[in-house]
PDB file of all heavy atoms in Angstrom:
ATOM      1  N   TYR A1269     -23.276  25.893  30.060  1.00 93.00           N
ATOM      2  CA  TYR A1269     -23.147  24.537  29.520  1.00 93.00           C
ATOM      3  C   TYR A1269     -24.029  24.351  28.285  1.00 93.00           C
ATOM      4  O   TYR A1269     -23.564  23.876  27.243  1.00 93.00           O
ATOM      5  CB  TYR A1269     -23.536  23.514  30.591  1.00 93.00           C
ATOM      6  CG  TYR A1269     -23.709  22.123  30.029  1.00 93.00           C
ATOM      7  CD1 TYR A1269     -22.611  21.369  29.636  1.00 93.00           C
ATOM      8  CD2 TYR A1269     -24.990  21.579  29.859  1.00 93.00           C
ATOM      9  CE1 TYR A1269     -22.778  20.109  29.094  1.00 93.00           C
ATOM     10  CE2 TYR A1269     -25.151  20.318  29.317  1.00 93.00           C
ATOM     11  CZ  TYR A1269     -24.048  19.589  28.936  1.00 93.00           C
ATOM     12  OH  TYR A1269     -24.212  18.342  28.385  1.00 93.00           O
ATOM     13  N   SER A1270     -25.298  24.723  28.386  1.00 92.00           N
ATOM     14  CA  SER A1270     -26.241  24.453  27.297  1.00 92.00           C
ATOM     15  C   SER A1270     -25.986  25.318  26.071  1.00 92.00           C
ATOM     16  O   SER A1270     -26.281  24.911  24.947  1.00 92.00           O
ATOM     17  CB  SER A1270     -27.681  24.646  27.779  1.00 92.00           C
ATOM     18  OG  SER A1270     -27.893  25.983  28.199  1.00 92.00           O
ATOM     19  N   SER A1271     -25.419  26.505  26.264  1.00 89.00           N
ATOM     20  CA  SER A1271     -25.249  27.411  25.135  1.00 89.00           C
ATOM     21  C   SER A1271     -23.890  27.282  24.444  1.00 89.00           C
ATOM     22  O   SER A1271     -23.783  27.558  23.247  1.00 89.00           O
ATOM     23  CB  SER A1271     -25.432  28.869  25.595  1.00 89.00           C
ATOM     24  OG  SER A1271     -24.452  29.205  26.569  1.00 89.00           O
ATOM     25  N   THR A1272     -22.855  26.850  25.183  1.00 85.00           N
ATOM     26  CA  THR A1272     -21.517  26.841  24.576  1.00 85.00           C
ATOM     27  C   THR A1272     -20.811  25.488  24.583  1.00 85.00           C
ATOM     28  O   THR A1272     -19.836  25.308  23.870  1.00 85.00           O
ATOM     29  CB  THR A1272     -20.608  27.848  25.299  1.00 85.00           C
ATOM     30  OG1 THR A1272     -20.441  27.436  26.669  1.00 85.00           O
ATOM     31  CG2 THR A1272     -21.193  29.250  25.267  1.00 85.00           C
ATOM     32  N   ILE A1273     -21.268  24.570  25.376  1.00 91.00           N
ATOM     33  CA  ILE A1273     -20.543  23.298  25.527  1.00 91.00           C
ATOM     34  C   ILE A1273     -21.335  22.117  24.985  1.00 91.00           C
ATOM     35  O   ILE A1273     -20.801  21.284  24.249  1.00 91.00           O
ATOM     36  CB  ILE A1273     -20.186  23.052  27.009  1.00 91.00           C
ATOM     37  CG1 ILE A1273     -19.300  24.176  27.539  1.00 91.00           C
ATOM     38  CG2 ILE A1273     -19.483  21.704  27.179  1.00 91.00           C
ATOM     39  CD1 ILE A1273     -19.045  24.090  29.028  1.00 91.00           C
ATOM     40  N   LYS A1274     -22.593  22.049  25.319  1.00 95.00           N
ATOM     41  CA  LYS A1274     -23.405  20.869  25.066  1.00 95.00           C
ATOM     42  C   LYS A1274     -23.384  20.419  23.608  1.00 95.00           C
ATOM     43  O   LYS A1274     -23.022  19.270  23.304  1.00 95.00           O
ATOM     44  CB  LYS A1274     -24.845  21.149  25.510  1.00 95.00           C
ATOM     45  CG  LYS A1274     -25.811  20.002  25.273  1.00 95.00           C
ATOM     46  CD  LYS A1274     -27.207  20.378  25.741  1.00 95.00           C
ATOM     47  CE  LYS A1274     -28.205  19.278  25.432  1.00 95.00           C
ATOM     48  NZ  LYS A1274     -29.573  19.645  25.867  1.00 95.00           N
ATOM     49  N   GLU A1275     -23.772  21.274  22.692  1.00 94.00           N
ATOM     50  CA  GLU A1275     -23.859  20.885  21.286  1.00 94.00           C
ATOM     51  C   GLU A1275     -22.493  20.638  20.681  1.00 94.00           C
ATOM     52  O   GLU A1275     -22.325  19.742  19.855  1.00 94.00           O
ATOM     53  CB  GLU A1275     -24.615  21.957  20.490  1.00 94.00           C
ATOM     54  CG  GLU A1275     -26.085  22.078  20.863  1.00 94.00           C
ATOM     55  CD  GLU A1275     -26.831  20.751  20.713  1.00 94.00           C
ATOM     56  OE1 GLU A1275     -26.599  20.053  19.702  1.00 94.00           O
ATOM     57  OE2 GLU A1275     -27.637  20.426  21.602  1.00 94.00           O
ATOM     58  N   GLN A1276     -21.511  21.431  21.087  1.00 95.00           N
ATOM     59  CA  GLN A1276     -20.170  21.276  20.531  1.00 95.00           C
ATOM     60  C   GLN A1276     -19.576  19.915  20.888  1.00 95.00           C
ATOM     61  O   GLN A1276     -18.904  19.282  20.071  1.00 95.00           O
ATOM     62  CB  GLN A1276     -19.269  22.398  21.058  1.00 95.00           C
ATOM     63  CG  GLN A1276     -17.951  22.528  20.300  1.00 95.00           C
ATOM     64  CD  GLN A1276     -17.122  23.700  20.800  1.00 95.00           C
ATOM     65  OE1 GLN A1276     -17.510  24.392  21.732  1.00 95.00           O
ATOM     66  NE2 GLN A1276     -15.985  23.925  20.170  1.00 95.00           N
ATOM     67  N   CYS A1277     -19.832  19.460  22.109  1.00 96.00           N
ATOM     68  CA  CYS A1277     -19.268  18.183  22.561  1.00 96.00           C
ATOM     69  C   CYS A1277     -19.861  16.990  21.820  1.00 96.00           C
ATOM     70  O   CYS A1277     -19.241  15.919  21.765  1.00 96.00           O
ATOM     71  CB  CYS A1277     -19.487  18.010  24.063  1.00 96.00           C
ATOM     72  SG  CYS A1277     -18.415  19.040  25.085  1.00 96.00           S
ATOM     73  N   LYS A1278     -21.044  17.148  21.262  1.00 96.00           N
ATOM     74  CA  LYS A1278     -21.670  16.026  20.556  1.00 96.00           C
ATOM     75  C   LYS A1278     -20.861  15.606  19.330  1.00 96.00           C
ATOM     76  O   LYS A1278     -20.821  14.418  18.980  1.00 96.00           O
ATOM     77  CB  LYS A1278     -23.096  16.397  20.145  1.00 96.00           C
ATOM     78  CG  LYS A1278     -24.073  16.482  21.309  1.00 96.00           C
ATOM     79  CD  LYS A1278     -25.475  16.847  20.835  1.00 96.00           C
ATOM     80  CE  LYS A1278     -26.453  16.934  21.998  1.00 96.00           C
ATOM     81  NZ  LYS A1278     -27.827  17.306  21.554  1.00 96.00           N
ATOM     82  N   THR A1279     -20.226  16.549  18.688  1.00 95.00           N
ATOM     83  CA  THR A1279     -19.493  16.232  17.461  1.00 95.00           C
ATOM     84  C   THR A1279     -17.988  16.399  17.597  1.00 95.00           C
ATOM     85  O   THR A1279     -17.221  15.768  16.889  1.00 95.00           O
ATOM     86  CB  THR A1279     -19.978  17.124  16.303  1.00 95.00           C
ATOM     87  OG1 THR A1279     -19.882  18.498  16.698  1.00 95.00           O
ATOM     88  CG2 THR A1279     -21.440  16.812  15.970  1.00 95.00           C
ATOM     89  N   THR A1280     -17.558  17.253  18.521  1.00 94.00           N
ATOM     90  CA  THR A1280     -16.136  17.540  18.690  1.00 94.00           C
ATOM     91  C   THR A1280     -15.651  16.987  20.018  1.00 94.00           C
ATOM     92  O   THR A1280     -16.336  17.112  21.031  1.00 94.00           O
ATOM     93  CB  THR A1280     -15.886  19.063  18.662  1.00 94.00           C
ATOM     94  OG1 THR A1280     -16.448  19.612  17.473  1.00 94.00           O
ATOM     95  CG2 THR A1280     -14.395  19.372  18.715  1.00 94.00           C
ATOM     96  N   ASP A1281     -14.476  16.381  20.016  1.00 94.00           N
ATOM     97  CA  ASP A1281     -13.921  15.823  21.247  1.00 94.00           C
ATOM     98  C   ASP A1281     -13.169  16.911  22.002  1.00 94.00           C
ATOM     99  O   ASP A1281     -12.054  17.301  21.626  1.00 94.00           O
ATOM    100  CB  ASP A1281     -12.983  14.655  20.935  1.00 94.00           C
ATOM    101  CG  ASP A1281     -13.718  13.484  20.308  1.00 94.00           C
ATOM    102  OD1 ASP A1281     -14.948  13.425  20.444  1.00 94.00           O
ATOM    103  OD2 ASP A1281     -13.052  12.639  19.678  1.00 94.00           O
ATOM    104  N   LEU A1282     -13.774  17.380  23.075  1.00 93.00           N
ATOM    105  CA  LEU A1282     -13.156  18.400  23.918  1.00 93.00           C
ATOM    106  C   LEU A1282     -12.825  17.825  25.290  1.00 93.00           C
ATOM    107  O   LEU A1282     -12.783  18.533  26.290  1.00 93.00           O
ATOM    108  CB  LEU A1282     -14.117  19.591  24.085  1.00 93.00           C
ATOM    109  CG  LEU A1282     -14.568  20.287  22.802  1.00 93.00           C
ATOM    110  CD1 LEU A1282     -15.580  21.371  23.117  1.00 93.00           C
ATOM    111  CD2 LEU A1282     -13.372  20.874  22.054  1.00 93.00           C
ATOM    112  N   TYR A1283     -12.585  16.514  25.329  1.00 95.00           N
ATOM    113  CA  TYR A1283     -12.425  15.809  26.598  1.00 95.00           C
ATOM    114  C   TYR A1283     -11.402  16.484  27.513  1.00 95.00           C
ATOM    115  O   TYR A1283     -10.325  16.895  27.087  1.00 95.00           O
ATOM    116  CB  TYR A1283     -11.970  14.373  26.370  1.00 95.00           C
ATOM    117  CG  TYR A1283     -12.882  13.537  25.513  1.00 95.00           C
ATOM    118  CD1 TYR A1283     -12.358  12.675  24.552  1.00 95.00           C
ATOM    119  CD2 TYR A1283     -14.264  13.591  25.657  1.00 95.00           C
ATOM    120  CE1 TYR A1283     -13.181  11.879  23.764  1.00 95.00           C
ATOM    121  CE2 TYR A1283     -15.093  12.808  24.877  1.00 95.00           C
ATOM    122  CZ  TYR A1283     -14.550  11.956  23.924  1.00 95.00           C
ATOM    123  OH  TYR A1283     -15.372  11.185  23.143  1.00 95.00           O
ATOM    124  N   GLU A1284     -11.759  16.534  28.788  1.00 94.00           N
ATOM    125  CA  GLU A1284     -10.833  16.925  29.835  1.00 94.00           C
ATOM    126  C   GLU A1284     -10.849  15.831  30.891  1.00 94.00           C
ATOM    127  O   GLU A1284     -11.910  15.360  31.277  1.00 94.00           O
ATOM    128  CB  GLU A1284     -11.235  18.272  30.465  1.00 94.00           C
ATOM    129  CG  GLU A1284     -11.104  19.449  29.522  1.00 94.00           C
ATOM    130  CD  GLU A1284     -11.467  20.770  30.196  1.00 94.00           C
ATOM    131  OE1 GLU A1284     -11.509  20.807  31.442  1.00 94.00           O
ATOM    132  OE2 GLU A1284     -11.703  21.753  29.476  1.00 94.00           O
ATOM    133  N   ASN A1285      -9.673  15.432  31.317  1.00 95.00           N
ATOM    134  CA  ASN A1285      -9.591  14.438  32.386  1.00 95.00           C
ATOM    135  C   ASN A1285      -9.101  15.147  33.641  1.00 95.00           C
ATOM    136  O   ASN A1285      -7.923  15.501  33.733  1.00 95.00           O
ATOM    137  CB  ASN A1285      -8.635  13.305  32.013  1.00 95.00           C
ATOM    138  CG  ASN A1285      -8.698  12.150  33.009  1.00 95.00           C
ATOM    139  OD1 ASN A1285      -9.209  12.306  34.113  1.00 95.00           O
ATOM    140  ND2 ASN A1285      -8.175  11.007  32.628  1.00 95.00           N
TER     141      ASN A1285
END
Side-chain angles (χ1 to χ4, degrees):
Y1269 168 73
S1270 61
S1271 61
T1272 63
I1273 300 173
K1274 179 180 176 181
E1275 293 304 317
Q1276 194 177 2
C1277 286
K1278 289 180 180 179
T1279 54
T1280 306
D1281 295 341
L1282 302 176
Y1283 302 138
E1284 293 182 17
N1285 189 344

